[in-house]
Amino acid sequence: MLFRVPGFCLESQSVPLISTESEVTSRSESAGTRQTANSKKTAGSAWKKAITATNKFALLGCIALASVFTGCSDSGVSLEDLEAAAAKVDISKIEVDVDPTESAAMLDLEKSDLTFGFIKLTDCAPLVIAKEMGYFDDEGLNVTLETQSNWKILLDNVINGQLDGAHMLAGQPIGATIGVGTQSPIVTAYSLDYNGNGITVSNEVWAQMQENDPDLKSPTPKHPISAASLKPIVDDYLQDAGEPFPMGMVFPVSTHNYEIRYWLAASGIHPGMYTESDIKGFTDAQVKLSTVPPPQMPQNLEADIVKGYCVGEPWNQKAVVTGIGVPVTTNYDIWKNNPEKVFGVTEEWAEKHPQTHLAVIKALIRAGKWLDATDDSGKLVNREEAVEILSRKDYVGAEKEVIGNSMMGTFVFQSTDVREMPDFNVFFKHEASYPHYSDAIWFLTQMRRWGQITESKPASWYAETAKKIYKPEIYRQAAELLISEGKLDPNEIPAPDYDGYRAVTTEFIDGNKYDAKDPIGYINSFEIGNKDDESLAKK
């Protein structure tokens, strides 16, 4: 980084920090000027603040620092001499020569001190990495990450302003905006990840499933495992206990809720309906899906409060390590490359802080890319370091071996069934960080299918609602800035003419086709769930 100031020269035996030369032809590459990632984030942030100073006292500080680093001042230079020199400088003509690979272009931030919330799950990784690798610092952001005890408190704290934004369930901005539960407009310009969840059952239930389907007794049973072998267990429990079979999910508008419902219903098990008078979704339920915070899932399973659950990592692998349960499927098998978490802020916050929002998204894009970086053989090269960071008590706080299973591309179902799953956690590739309209629409269809949206809506409503909540234009603006800085390749984001709708897919556990441009047809394609008038498909 070079400062060019007309009319003043501070000489140096190395490369001058301030020069009247029109062009500088070389830079020092001494070991002393090379910095580690951690020192870069501190030094880079400090120099950027110096660059943006608009008074001569700040400039004087830069000159003084330069004299210290370069050793160019002699013992006769006094503070008065420096002040006199600074007074002659027209700071309005200062030019800053910044190498884009070394320092980000600074945005005019409306707010630089930010607090973001997260839940102790491995998919909070982009926020953690953006902080720990200095990407937030590079944007001039001073970010504090605060763990939240559950998803409701996290959402409430974003809405009431205690948090500037948060690691959110993908369904939370959608549910809050349309009034499922809490009512408050929330937007997202960044998808944190694909996949990352699993469904785990107790050892007792797994043994019963094996009795119902002898093929499951294999040390390595064929995957994906459907809920067909669970259905007789659910039927018997309902008859004997007189109440639905108890299982857990993390939040009413969570991907986990819709995934476990999808898995159960695909095998003819009714997971219950939401109604205006039943906001818990237990109506007609053969399986009672209770809300349990993610870190509490294993202990609830061990205490027999629930007999199975759907949750994100590391809480499925925790059940394996502690020997209390068996994961039977992952959400990668329920829907390949499904959206999971997003970064959410209130609509009001986004409108008040557009430049700050852009800076945050820039840092998160870099973090996602870092998390998915591979070598020529396809090996994830940064995940081991990510696991080390995430295992800290301030973040996920689980053992490294527990976090590492899935984060390193391996998923353990049983000690005899260890499978390579390189895409179990995806943070950037496959355009995972882009906020696709079609992802938002999928959640809306599931909310309507299970009754959280209590009234029929025309197809146009689904598209319009998605555009209110998902903000790809902000993502694209942030990405273009990174491209201009040499930190992102244009081919790493969707093409300029991309309409926000992922390709039609049948990569679901039941093979059903999802076309986001036909939400009514999709809702009506399921045997279990609400049905809407076909005429709404054309409205």
Side-chain angles (χ1 to χ4, degrees), residues 107-110 350 352-360 477:
L107 294 164
D108 186 12
L109 304 179
E110 299 87 5
K352 287 177 63 177
H353 308 94
Q355 297 295 294
T356 301
H357 198 188
L358 267 180
V360 172
Q477 188 177 356

Short mmCIF file of all heavy atoms in Angstrom, two decimals, residues 107-110 350 352-360 477:
data_model
loop_
_atom_site.label_atom_id
_atom_site.label_comp_id
_atom_site.label_asym_id
_atom_site.label_seq_id
_atom_site.Cartn_x
_atom_site.Cartn_y
_atom_site.Cartn_z
N LEU A 107 -15.98 0.39 2.05
CA LEU A 107 -17.31 0.96 1.84
C LEU A 107 -17.55 2.04 2.89
O LEU A 107 -16.88 2.08 3.92
CB LEU A 107 -18.36 -0.14 1.95
CG LEU A 107 -18.31 -1.21 0.86
CD1 LEU A 107 -19.10 -2.44 1.27
CD2 LEU A 107 -18.82 -0.66 -0.46
N ASP A 108 -18.49 2.90 2.62
CA ASP A 108 -18.83 3.97 3.55
C ASP A 108 -19.80 3.40 4.60
O ASP A 108 -21.01 3.53 4.48
CB ASP A 108 -19.46 5.14 2.78
CG ASP A 108 -19.70 6.35 3.67
OD1 ASP A 108 -19.17 6.37 4.80
OD2 ASP A 108 -20.42 7.27 3.23
N LEU A 109 -19.25 2.77 5.60
CA LEU A 109 -20.05 2.03 6.58
C LEU A 109 -20.92 2.95 7.42
O LEU A 109 -20.46 3.94 7.97
CB LEU A 109 -19.13 1.23 7.51
CG LEU A 109 -18.16 0.25 6.84
CD1 LEU A 109 -17.31 -0.45 7.90
CD2 LEU A 109 -18.89 -0.77 5.99
N GLU A 110 -22.19 2.58 7.55
CA GLU A 110 -23.09 3.31 8.44
C GLU A 110 -22.87 2.91 9.90
O GLU A 110 -23.15 3.66 10.82
CB GLU A 110 -24.55 3.03 8.08
CG GLU A 110 -24.95 3.43 6.69
CD GLU A 110 -24.67 2.35 5.66
OE1 GLU A 110 -24.24 1.24 6.05
OE2 GLU A 110 -24.88 2.61 4.46
N ALA A 350 -31.54 -3.53 7.22
CA ALA A 350 -30.95 -3.55 5.87
C ALA A 350 -31.12 -2.22 5.17
O ALA A 350 -30.21 -1.75 4.47
CB ALA A 350 -31.58 -4.68 5.05
N LYS A 352 -31.42 0.75 6.62
CA LYS A 352 -30.63 1.78 7.31
C LYS A 352 -29.13 1.60 7.12
O LYS A 352 -28.36 2.55 7.25
CB LYS A 352 -30.95 1.76 8.81
CG LYS A 352 -32.31 2.33 9.17
CD LYS A 352 -32.58 2.20 10.67
CE LYS A 352 -31.58 3.01 11.48
NZ LYS A 352 -31.89 2.93 12.94
N HIS A 353 -28.70 0.37 6.81
CA HIS A 353 -27.26 0.08 6.77
C HIS A 353 -26.87 -0.64 5.47
O HIS A 353 -26.26 -1.72 5.50
CB HIS A 353 -26.85 -0.79 7.97
CG HIS A 353 -27.28 -0.26 9.30
ND1 HIS A 353 -28.45 -0.65 9.92
CD2 HIS A 353 -26.68 0.64 10.13
CE1 HIS A 353 -28.55 -0.02 11.07
NE2 HIS A 353 -27.50 0.77 11.22
N PRO A 354 -27.18 -0.08 4.32
CA PRO A 354 -26.90 -0.80 3.06
C PRO A 354 -25.42 -1.07 2.81
O PRO A 354 -25.06 -2.15 2.34
CB PRO A 354 -27.49 0.12 1.99
CG PRO A 354 -27.54 1.48 2.62
CD PRO A 354 -27.83 1.22 4.07
N GLN A 355 -24.56 -0.10 3.13
CA GLN A 355 -23.12 -0.30 2.90
C GLN A 355 -22.53 -1.30 3.91
O GLN A 355 -21.70 -2.14 3.55
CB GLN A 355 -22.39 1.05 3.00
CG GLN A 355 -22.81 2.05 1.94
CD GLN A 355 -22.44 1.62 0.54
OE1 GLN A 355 -21.26 1.54 0.21
NE2 GLN A 355 -23.43 1.34 -0.28
N THR A 356 -22.98 -1.20 5.14
CA THR A 356 -22.54 -2.17 6.15
C THR A 356 -22.99 -3.57 5.77
O THR A 356 -22.23 -4.55 5.90
CB THR A 356 -23.10 -1.79 7.53
OG1 THR A 356 -22.64 -0.48 7.87
CG2 THR A 356 -22.66 -2.77 8.60
N HIS A 357 -24.22 -3.68 5.30
CA HIS A 357 -24.76 -4.98 4.88
C HIS A 357 -23.90 -5.57 3.76
O HIS A 357 -23.55 -6.76 3.78
CB HIS A 357 -26.20 -4.80 4.41
CG HIS A 357 -26.99 -6.07 4.35
ND1 HIS A 357 -28.25 -6.15 3.82
CD2 HIS A 357 -26.69 -7.34 4.76
CE1 HIS A 357 -28.70 -7.38 3.90
NE2 HIS A 357 -27.77 -8.12 4.46
N LEU A 358 -23.56 -4.73 2.78
CA LEU A 358 -22.68 -5.19 1.69
C LEU A 358 -21.35 -5.69 2.22
O LEU A 358 -20.84 -6.73 1.78
CB LEU A 358 -22.42 -4.03 0.72
CG LEU A 358 -23.32 -3.86 -0.49
CD1 LEU A 358 -22.88 -2.65 -1.29
CD2 LEU A 358 -23.29 -5.10 -1.36
N ALA A 359 -20.77 -4.97 3.16
CA ALA A 359 -19.48 -5.36 3.73
C ALA A 359 -19.58 -6.71 4.43
O ALA A 359 -18.68 -7.55 4.32
CB ALA A 359 -19.00 -4.29 4.71
N VAL A 360 -20.67 -6.93 5.15
CA VAL A 360 -20.87 -8.21 5.84
C VAL A 360 -20.97 -9.34 4.82
O VAL A 360 -20.33 -10.40 4.99
CB VAL A 360 -22.15 -8.17 6.71
CG1 VAL A 360 -22.47 -9.56 7.27
CG2 VAL A 360 -21.98 -7.17 7.85
N GLN A 477 -24.02 -7.69 -5.80
CA GLN A 477 -23.24 -6.45 -5.67
C GLN A 477 -21.98 -6.70 -4.84
O GLN A 477 -20.89 -6.24 -5.18
CB GLN A 477 -24.09 -5.35 -5.04
CG GLN A 477 -23.42 -3.99 -5.04
CD GLN A 477 -24.32 -2.89 -4.48
OE1 GLN A 477 -25.48 -3.14 -4.15
NE2 GLN A 477 -23.78 -1.70 -4.33
#
